[in-house]
Amino acid sequence: MQAEKEEEEAFPEEYVALCDFTASGSEQLGFSTGDKLLVHAKPSADWWWAELQGVIGYVPASYLRQDAAEDEEDTSLEDPWQDDEYFGSYGTLRLHLEMLSDRSRTETYRQVIVSNSASLRNKVVMDLGCGTGIISLFCAQLAQPSVVYAVEASSMAEHTRQLVKQNGCEEVVTVLQGRAEELELPEQADILVSEWMGNCLLFEFMVESVLLARDRWLRDGGVMWPSSAALTLVPCQADSYYSEKMAFWERPYGLDFTPLQPLAQQEFFTKPKFSHLIDPKDCLSAPCDVICLNMYTVQVRDLEEMEGEFKFCVVKPGVFHGFTAWFTVQFESLEAGGATVELDTGPNSDPTHWKQTLFMLDNPIHVYGGDSIRGNIVLHRNPVWRRHMTVTLHWNINSSSDNCQVGTKSFPMWR
Ligand SMILES: N=C(N)NC/C=C/[C@H]1O[C@@H](n2cnc3c(N)ncnc32)[C@H](O)[C@@H]1O
């Protein structure tokens, strides 16, 4: 009796969902990654009786992990920002080499410095997330700011100091190691420059650090580089990707493998495809900016859920396999009336390391010239894993040739 009594007291236990689970059968309970479930009983090793927001049902035990609160030493694994992993990855050269090898990206930042070099004279610059210090070195080499605070949280910072010295910029560039939103800057900055953009613009949510640093270190009237950003969307064909991942199962070596197609859809089309290079001819309409950020006014709380409408007019017959997304950022001139510089990661510009992001629908839809595809996109930041989000698309197709088709799909990035 005593043991049972103790066991009774142990429940409910709090667990975190490691990944999504779709319930099949009324007595099962579905959930999403990061959901906190209350486990009331463990009738078997594999299936537990759990509750989520008042709903009770059976859940697969293997999808759950004991919540951090119950198990102190694991808290480091529970970091919602995954900083160890994130800054660890930036402590090695791989990602910096990829970014520096991206000429379109890096030359754009150099262009910004060159075209504003006169106005940069005697200014205080903060380079947030300087990495190897490339932007700070451009400032010191191509303009005469009074000081550049090159802020870098990863262990790359000590190498960056060496590069600053190696290139004779130590008089101007000061490398500060630490998270920008936590460290002390000696003074306010006139310009806050950063290369913070992730896939689909926001992934990694480094932008949150940029906004916190803006609010704390950019002086009134100071300049944000980028000054604005836009997420752009277009309905598209993706025939080769569809053939490679889905049509393939129709007749491999003369056999019928179509029973594997639901698995293929789950495995290949549930998450967005990063690093997709869309051919401009696969765009079914003109693209549309669906979400625009003004870097002076956007607030961290706005990042929780960002929504944008779209209305595409199909310009030619084709197969609507999905949507492709990319972003542009603009750098306003320091001189009133000066030219704005833009970095465009879309299919009509030189490719960048971001390429584009492809969201595949479950079932392709034939569309025809004159059809309209209306709807909206919602970027919902993950409440638990703070560098991740879910992208939900809703669409309505109005076609003269057949009745209206409505659809919706959510894509985790990545949790
Ligand atoms: N554009 C993308 N996605 N990444 C390119 C830039 C990422 C670089 O910025 C640094 N970084 C990111 N967040 C912070 C922060 N809050 N404080 C200081 N340094 C930071 C990373 O360690 C990389 O070196």
Side-chain angles (χ1 to χ4, degrees), residues 154-185:
S154 77
S155 57
M156 187 53 61
E158 63 218 45
H159 303 293
T160 308
R161 274 194 196 93
Q162 201 181 355
L163 297 178
V164 166
K165 195 166 175 51
Q166 183 74 15
N167 289 279
C169 298
E170 65 271 40
E171 294 301 307
V172 174
V173 180
T174 302
V175 178
L176 302 172
Q177 180 163 5
R179 281 193 69 156
E181 57 271 44
E182 287 160 5
L183 54 67
E184 288 300 319
L185 220 56

Side-chain angles (χ1 to χ4, degrees), residues 20-251:
D20 296 0
F21 170 64
T22 307
S24 55
S26 62
E27 69 283 2
Q28 288 186 2
L29 172 66
F31 49 79
S32 307
T33 309
D35 279 349
K36 285 194 182 297
L37 295 118
L38 284 179
V39 172
H40 291 279
K42 299 178 179 177
S44 80
D46 300 333
W47 291 91
W48 294 348
W49 190 242
E51 173 193 349
L52 173 63
Q53 288 142 12
V55 183
I56 291 253
Y58 281 105
V59 297
S62 59
Y63 283 51
L64 306 180
R65 179 182 52 227
Q66 181 96 38
D67 190 14
E70 312 268 318
D71 185 356
E72 286 320 302
E73 66 268 17
D74 264 353
T75 45
S76 64
L77 303 178
E78 298 303 308
D79 169 18
W81 281 86
Q82 301 162 286
D83 273 357
D84 292 349
E85 177 190 337
Y86 182 73
F87 292 123
S89 67
Y90 282 114
T92 60
L93 284 178
R94 180 175 60 86
L95 291 175
H96 297 288
L97 179 58
E98 182 182 29
M99 294 188 283
L100 290 169
S101 305
D102 179 343
R103 298 195 63 81
S104 175
R105 160 201 179 271
T106 310
E107 291 288 358
T108 300
Y109 276 84
R110 175 157 55 183
Q111 175 60 35
V112 172
I113 305 307
V114 166
S115 51
N116 288 280
S117 61
S119 307
L120 275 164
R121 178 178 291 280
N122 300 331
K123 292 292 192 317
V124 175
V125 180
M126 176 181 191
D127 176 2
L128 196 163
C130 68
T132 54
I134 183 73
I135 298 172
S136 297
L137 293 172
F138 285 160
C139 289
Q141 188 193 45
L142 305 167
Q144 284 77 36
S146 66
V147 59
V148 182
Y149 295 112
V151 177
E152 173 52 47
S154 77
S155 57
M156 187 53 61
E158 63 218 45
H159 303 293
T160 308
R161 274 194 196 93
Q162 201 181 355
L163 297 178
V164 166
K165 195 166 175 51
Q166 183 74 15
N167 289 279
C169 298
E170 65 271 40
E171 294 301 307
V172 174
V173 180
T174 302
V175 178
L176 302 172
Q177 180 163 5
R179 281 193 69 156
E181 57 271 44
E182 287 160 5
L183 54 67
E184 288 300 319
L185 220 56
E187 57 192 308
Q188 294 280 75
D190 299 302
I191 291 115
L192 197 171
V193 62
S194 179
E195 192 281 79
W196 52 265
M197 300 76 73
N199 279 289
C200 266
L201 184 60
L202 293 174
F203 181 64
E204 288 180 35
F205 282 90
M206 180 178 163
V207 63
E208 171 166 330
S209 305
V210 174
L211 301 185
L212 292 174
R214 172 199 69 189
D215 296 347
R216 195 166 166 208
W217 298 115
L218 187 66
R219 69 162 177 73
D220 288 348
V223 168
M224 293 289 286
W225 276 345
S227 323
S228 58
L231 181 70
T232 309
L233 198 66
V234 75
C236 69
Q237 298 194 139
D239 203 59
S240 50
Y241 188 61
Y242 187 81
S243 301
E244 181 195 327
K245 301 297 187 190
M246 188 56 72
F248 172 83
W249 308 103
E250 280 160 17
R251 255 294 166 254

